[in-house]
Amino acid sequence: YTRACDASTKLKTGMKAFNMSLNGGFESSRCYVYLGLPGEGKSSTLLNLALQIKKNNPEVKTKDPTKKPVVVFLTTENTLNETVERTFNMVETNGITVSDNNPVGLEFRYVPSVDTDYLYTLYDELMADGKECICMIQDRIKCRDFKLINGDMRIGAVIDEFKEFANTKKIPVITASQVNSY
């Protein structure tokens, strides 16, 4: 009951029906995966979720009360400039407001070639900088035990590693992956 009532264990979006489908919001220690064909808006969806989580969770509490809560958007897909430009376009065209009054920060990182072990490094770097990741949103990454099956990366291995990270840090991990049609 305590966990269900704790605002820090479920991160809400601004979409009521979406929150209901998520049992109230993105739950800590869980991994969420969105799949789509090339060019269908996976990166845009993840950016929108990052903005929605920032906007709709100002009451979130960090595990360490001396740290500032941040939603982390890590991409190996789009450059930092492209990601920030897309974000500002979303804010401008969708009426999403981002203000300094909201205590939740938004941290963008572009690292073109890393594996899932980098999530732990990034989390620790943020903590050392006075920030605590409350949600990791990741756009395309390799698993630490990178394996190819017929030229494709095993998405199941990546998801297993994201779930391990989510459990270890007690935060939700949200990702998207491309599904190719043949």
Side-chain angles (χ1 to χ4, degrees), residues 41-97:
K42 294 173 298 297
S43 297
S44 295
T45 298
L46 292 177
L47 281 172
N48 185 19
L49 290 173
L51 288 167
Q52 293 288 334
I53 291 168
K54 175 189 174 17
K55 177 182 177 185
N56 292 288
N57 296 279
E59 72 289 345
V60 72
K61 302 277 187 270
T62 55
K63 293 171 214 70
D64 179 344
T66 67
K67 307 292 185 197
K68 176 185 175 158
V70 293
V71 175
V72 177
F73 188 92
L74 170 64
T75 180
T76 61
E77 176 75 4
N78 300 308
T79 67
L80 188 58
N81 285 341
E82 184 178 10
T83 300
V84 171
E85 188 174 310
R86 282 180 169 188
T87 304
F88 280 114
N89 285 336
M90 291 175 118
V91 169
E92 217 172 83
T93 58
N94 296 325
I96 298 172
T97 58

Side-chain angles (χ1 to χ4, degrees), residues 1-10 27-30 170:
Y1 174 80
T2 303
R3 177 179 156 74
C5 293
D6 184 353
S8 295
T9 63
K10 293 186 182 189
E27 296 181 62
S28 59
S29 300
R30 300 205 62 172
K170 306 287 187 253

Side-chain angles (χ1 to χ4, degrees), residues 102-115:
N102 187 322
V104 179
L106 193 52
E107 186 85 20
F108 293 106
R109 295 290 174 100
Y110 166 67
V111 185
S113 181
V114 293
D115 62 29

